[in-house]
Amino acid sequence: MAPELTPFDPARYLNTPEAVEAYLEAAMEDGEPEHIARAMDDVQRSSVIEQAKEGGFIARDPVTGSTTQGETAVEAIANLREAVELFCSEFPRHD
């Protein structure tokens, strides 16, 4: 019997600001409007970013609890990355 396969969903792996930023950058570098639109859809389905009711986007980092916003998804992710970096500089890990 053949194994049951499930469709690959990139949104499941976009769980950090860095992953989202890299994914969007790769789509933008490609330059294909269809790929960019698909990447934006994947990001919106991830747990990191969502569209705000009042407009713009809200980005969250579940590890640090940081939340930011931006007019675009890319801006919200860039703001989140900066917030996470600030958090990590204020509260360094002590392994």
Side-chain angles (χ1 to χ4, degrees):
M1 180 187 286
E4 183 178 330
L5 302 176
T6 58
F8 177 75
D9 184 5
R12 293 184 58 203
Y13 301 93
L14 299 174
N15 52 9
T16 66
E18 295 82 9
V20 171
E21 187 174 37
Y23 189 67
L24 289 175
E25 283 178 2
M28 298 289 189
E29 284 176 10
D30 181 44
E32 291 290 325
E34 184 179 312
H35 292 165
I36 294 169
R38 196 170 330 138
M40 293 299 289
D41 287 342
D42 293 339
V43 168
Q44 286 183 346
R45 285 190 290 89
S46 76
S47 62
V48 175
I49 193 161
E50 64 186 62
Q51 198 156 13
K53 293 176 187 173
E54 58 278 345
F57 292 84
I58 298 170
R60 293 183 177 86
D61 178 26
V63 175
T64 64
S66 302
T67 302
T68 63
Q69 61 186 27
E71 290 296 316
T72 65
V74 174
E75 181 183 1
I77 291 297
N79 292 342
L80 184 60
R81 183 171 188 170
E82 182 179 346
V84 169
E85 288 172 356
L86 287 171
F87 179 92
C88 291
S89 69
E90 287 291 319
F91 304 102
R93 291 180 61 175
H94 299 287
D95 294 328

